[in-house]
Amino acid sequence: MIKPFRIDIPQADLDDLTDRLSRTRWPNEVAGAGWDYGFPLARLKELAEFWRTGYDWRAQEAELNKLPHFTTEIDGQDIHFVHVRCAKPDALALVLTHGWPGSFLEFLDVIEPLSRDFHLVIPSIPGYGFSGPTHERGWDIVRVARAWAELMRRLGYERYGAQGGDFGAGISLALGAVAPEQVVGVHVNYLPTRPDPDAGVELSDTDEARLDKVRQLMANRPPYQALQATTPQTLGYALTDSPVGQLAWIAERFAHWTDPRSTISDERMLTDISLYWLTATAASSARLHRDTPRANLPCPVPVGVAVFAYDITQSVRPLAERMYDIRHWSEFERGGHFAAMEVPELLAEDVRDFFLTA
């Protein structure tokens, strides 16, 4: 039921990517526009040229294949995952879940420090990367969580923790809800807290400032989210046919959602983008926005939260405590939405603190 997996992208697909990049039809740009109208033309041309002539997928592929990859079928869907065992046989297992526009690649830099103390299971969400496109409705975060519970059962883990950011946070919390007897706790680095005038809790000036940012996001729904949550198929045609379209769509998120001091290299970002392109999962990954309800699912297990200063939103603890059993709360002055890539040492240490000492 569980099979070893090796990444081996056909050379024809890589040649096709290079050819398409060489034939990009570029739009014009308003003089001095900067970011006012979207991704700046000069910067995108720079990234596209590096992707075409300087980036080496085969080198990245060889590095990734040093990890133990596997696939299995759950609920009619192929599931790809990396499984790294700790040297301590009785170590707690953790399932680490990425978000959009990330992938299992988000966790590359936390594997070594976390695997000292934990067995690690790092799946690709159905519809993403090597899990391949989904083929039916209904792959929301709860269904993914149920698939993770089955995956952990197949791997022989009776008790385990869950960690994630972005959609990975929602999936991890849902996993705590669908498998509370198995999940010892959930650690997240993304936990939106909505304004609640009936909460009856006193908020600090910092908390109020954070809620103002949430209100702004709610009033001005990000364009990427509106499109992926309403017409992911329509968007998918453009992103699946144009590598520069896929590049701009994801690179813009990295530009806006990271700490300005972020050290994520163009090469690492292009590996993530290449994964979306080479697996043709632009549309299927976007469907998660369409299929997932916006309401929070109650999570009965202990929750740990890491708040990073440059994330899309910062959680408000008094409001979070009304929804979850918060046992651990950390705030960091560095790091953004892709914490595992931006500040892996901070995230790994916080995860360790929660599961081993909280």
Side-chain angles (χ1 to χ4, degrees):
M1 297 176 70
I2 294 176
K3 301 178 294 186
F5 174 78
R6 183 173 177 80
I7 305 169
D8 187 15
I9 298 298
Q11 186 59 42
D13 292 353
L14 300 178
D15 293 341
D16 175 69
L17 171 59
T18 300
D19 179 60
R20 288 171 183 260
L21 288 169
S22 69
R23 293 184 294 107
T24 300
R25 186 181 182 207
W26 296 100
N28 79 316
E29 183 180 53
V30 175
W35 283 92
D36 291 348
Y37 291 84
F39 206 106
L41 180 60
R43 172 59 174 153
L44 194 61
K45 283 187 172 182
E46 175 188 12
L47 282 172
E49 182 61 14
F50 177 55
W51 200 9
R52 187 179 74 87
T53 63
Y55 175 79
D56 186 349
W57 167 264
R58 289 299 185 205
Q60 299 302 311
E61 185 179 73
E63 285 299 310
L64 293 176
N65 275 326
K66 293 178 181 179
L67 296 170
H69 297 261
F70 302 88
T71 59
T72 190
E73 184 179 315
I74 300 175
D75 195 8
Q77 174 68 37
D78 287 337
I79 303 294
H80 159 264
F81 63 98
V82 170
H83 187 195
V84 179
R85 293 187 183 273
C86 178
K88 307 170 186 175
D90 60 347
L92 179 69
L94 299 182
V95 55
L96 310 179
T97 308
H98 64 86
W100 182 91
S103 63
F104 77 95
L105 300 171
E106 287 183 44
F107 298 105
L108 290 181
D109 293 332
V110 300
I111 288 176
E112 191 279 327
L114 286 180
S115 63
R116 299 173 202 160
D117 296 295
F118 306 98
H119 301 301
L120 302 178
V121 179
I122 311 173
S124 296
I125 297 172
Y128 287 68
F130 297 121
S131 285
T134 49
H135 302 282
E136 59 184 10
R137 296 172 182 263
W139 274 103
D140 62 6
I141 61 173
V142 176
R143 188 172 178 182
V144 176
R146 291 196 179 103
W148 280 193
E150 172 59 18
L151 174 61
M152 298 303 277
R153 186 195 68 79
R154 290 184 188 181
L155 293 173
Y157 295 120
E158 297 179 359
R159 299 281 282 167
Y160 50 88
Q163 199 286 327
D166 194 83
F167 272 127
I171 292 166
S172 298
L173 292 166
L175 182 56
V178 302
E181 298 303 315
Q182 288 73 46
V183 178
V184 301
V186 173
H187 181 282
V188 297
N189 54 283
Y190 180 71
L191 187 68
T193 44
R194 295 172 177 273
D196 184 354
D198 300 321
V201 295
E202 186 173 344
L203 300 179
S204 67
D205 290 344
T206 299
D207 288 338
E208 289 290 355
R210 290 176 175 178
L211 282 183
D212 283 342
K213 189 172 182 179
V214 175
R215 292 185 184 99
Q216 293 172 15
L217 284 172
M218 292 172 64
N220 302 286
R221 193 177 188 185
Y224 83 90
Q225 190 179 85
L227 287 172
Q228 298 202 157
T230 54
T231 57
Q233 188 68 24
T234 304
L235 176 65
Y237 296 123
L239 301 187
T240 305
D241 188 61
S242 168
V244 165
Q246 181 71 91
L247 173 63
W249 194 246
I250 292 181
E252 186 174 63
R253 304 278 68 76
F254 275 89
H256 289 331
W257 292 356
T258 54
D259 185 331
R261 299 161 294 183
S262 173
T263 57
I264 299 176
S265 67
D266 288 349
E267 186 173 61
R268 176 63 64 85
M269 181 179 68
L270 283 171
T271 301
D272 182 69
I273 294 169
S274 295
L275 192 57
Y276 280 80
W277 174 261
L278 295 170
T279 58
T281 51
S284 57
S285 61
R287 283 197 289 268
L288 193 56
H289 281 92
R290 176 87 155 95
D291 291 341
T292 293
R294 303 188 73 182
N296 292 313
L297 189 70
C299 179
V301 305
V303 174
V305 182
V307 182
F308 292 91
Y310 292 90
D311 204 346
I312 305 169
T313 63
Q314 283 80 50
S315 304
V316 175
R317 183 167 187 171
L319 296 180
E321 288 176 335
R322 297 183 74 247
M323 298 184 291
Y324 304 106
D325 179 12
I326 305 294
R327 303 285 186 89
H328 174 93
W329 188 278
S330 301
E331 301 194 7
F332 299 95
E333 296 180 355
R334 294 192 294 129
H337 195 62
F338 305 95
M341 301 174 76
E342 297 178 67
V343 284
E345 71 288 351
L346 295 181
L347 181 66
E349 191 60 31
D350 202 64
V351 170
R352 181 181 291 106
D353 286 347
F354 172 64
F355 285 107
L356 296 185
T357 64

